[in-house]
Amino acid sequence: MAAAATPPVWHQTITKRLRDRDAREVHAFHNLFSSYAEVRQNAATLRNQLAVLRIDHAQALELAASAKAFGSPDAARRLTELEGQVRELKDERSDLYKTQGQNAQKLLELMESVQKSDINMAHLQEENAKLTSTLGTVSIKLRDVEELIREKDHVIEILRDELATHQLELVQREEQLAQREKRVTSLEEENRTLIERWIVLKQEQAARMNEANEYVEQYGRRLLTLRLPLRISCQLQCPQVEGHLACPQSTTIVI
């Protein structure tokens, strides 16, 4: 059998406060209820004593009438004693009436206090009903909030998983970017090396070309010096093709 769910702390706190309040209010009126019960008991006792005194008074009156009728000394003494007892009983009755009046006043005060207590109790019961209703509303809202928190926790867990996935993907992209940057750096270095080699090659080619041109110029000047008549004859007799003289002897001279 599954164990009952433990109420939340706030629920236990409110319940404890309500119990303490009920205990405090009941204790405050406990003496009042006890006094009211005591007054009712005293009033019943006084009524019983008053009835007994009335009976004794009636008997005393009968004895007094008998003593007057017979005129006996013992009866006269007994009458005197009875009259004294009657006076004492009258005094005691007066005291009892006085006490009864005081008790009646106390009873009225107690009744007023009881009415006020009933009114206060009604207000307390109404407040308790409101608090109970509020407690039910708060409990429903608390359940809704707990359900919302569970949903938010689920969403947060999903977002955390997605964040971890994106972070892993970001790390992979950063590694790929680092590799590409390294490749680009390597290609740039290789490109600079090739350009430098190409420049050196072109410089070498230009140097060789300059040497060749210089050699050709020197050779041409030498030919001009050695074969000037032949060159003039070739210019007259040989056609010029693309800057060269095509001589019949298949000799090409660069102009």
Side-chain angles (χ1 to χ4, degrees):
M1 181 177 179
T6 304
V9 178
W10 63 268
H11 185 276
Q12 296 178 0
T13 303
I14 292 177
T15 304
K16 184 177 181 302
R17 289 180 180 177
L18 290 174
R19 290 177 180 174
D20 293 341
R21 185 200 62 187
D22 294 340
R24 185 171 59 254
E25 292 174 353
V26 171
H27 180 72
F29 295 104
H30 180 71
N31 295 331
L32 178 64
F33 296 150
S34 299
S35 299
Y36 177 71
E38 184 178 357
V39 167
R40 291 186 62 183
Q41 185 177 0
N42 291 333
T45 302
L46 290 174
R47 283 194 295 270
N48 293 331
Q49 290 179 357
L50 181 61
V52 173
L53 289 175
R54 286 175 179 174
I55 293 173
D56 292 338
H57 184 261
Q59 291 177 355
L61 290 176
E62 290 177 358
L63 289 173
S66 299
K68 289 180 179 179
F70 293 104
S72 172
D74 295 334
R77 186 174 61 254
R78 177 62 178 168
L79 179 62
T80 302
E81 293 176 354
L82 290 175
E83 287 178 351
Q85 291 178 359
V86 167
R87 285 194 297 271
E88 292 178 356
L89 291 174
K90 286 182 179 179
D91 294 337
E92 186 176 357
R93 184 180 65 181
S94 298
D95 294 337
L96 289 175
Y97 282 147
K98 185 177 180 180
T99 303
Q100 185 178 7
Q102 293 176 353
N103 291 332
Q105 183 65 31
K106 290 182 179 179
L107 181 61
L108 289 176
E109 293 176 355
L110 290 174
M111 291 298 295
E112 291 178 356
S113 299
V114 169
Q115 290 178 356
K116 292 179 180 179
S117 300
D118 291 338
I119 294 173
N120 292 331
M121 186 65 68
H123 289 311
L124 291 175
Q125 290 177 352
E126 183 179 359
E127 184 180 358
N128 189 18
K130 291 180 179 179
L131 290 174
T132 303
S133 177
T134 304
L135 180 61
T137 304
V138 171
S139 299
I140 295 173
K141 291 182 178 179
L142 179 62
R143 286 195 297 269
D144 295 338
V145 170
E146 289 176 350
E147 183 66 23
L148 181 61
I149 290 173
R150 284 194 294 270
E151 293 178 358
K152 296 294 184 181
D153 290 338
H154 182 64
V155 173
I156 290 172
E157 189 66 26
I158 294 175
L159 292 176
R160 284 178 179 173
D161 294 338
E162 292 181 355
L163 179 60
T165 303
H166 290 316
Q167 287 178 346
L168 180 60
E169 184 178 357
L170 179 61
V171 170
Q172 292 177 353
R173 294 292 178 86
E174 288 178 350
E175 291 178 354
Q176 293 176 0
L177 180 60
Q179 292 177 357
R180 290 182 180 179
E181 289 179 350
K182 185 177 180 181
R183 177 62 177 168
V184 169
T185 304
S186 177
L187 292 174
E188 289 178 351
E189 184 67 25
E190 184 178 354
N191 189 24
R192 282 195 298 270
T193 303
L194 292 175
I195 291 173
E196 291 175 356
R197 291 173 61 185
W198 181 79
I199 291 173
V200 171
L201 179 61
K202 290 299 180 181
Q203 289 176 351
E204 292 177 353
Q205 290 178 355
R208 287 196 298 270
M209 185 175 292
N210 290 332
E211 291 177 357
N213 290 332
E214 186 179 356
Y215 176 76
V216 170
E217 289 178 358
Q218 291 176 0
Y219 183 75
R221 286 194 298 268
R222 189 178 300 172
L223 288 177
L224 288 175
T225 304
L226 297 176
R227 298 180 180 179
L228 183 58
L230 179 61
R231 183 171 180 270
I232 294 173
S233 178
C234 288
Q235 287 180 353
L236 295 174
Q237 298 178 3
C238 298
Q240 187 174 358
V241 180
E242 295 181 357
H244 297 82
L245 293 175
C247 298
Q249 293 85 3
S250 301
T251 301
T252 303
I253 300 173
V254 179
I255 303 300

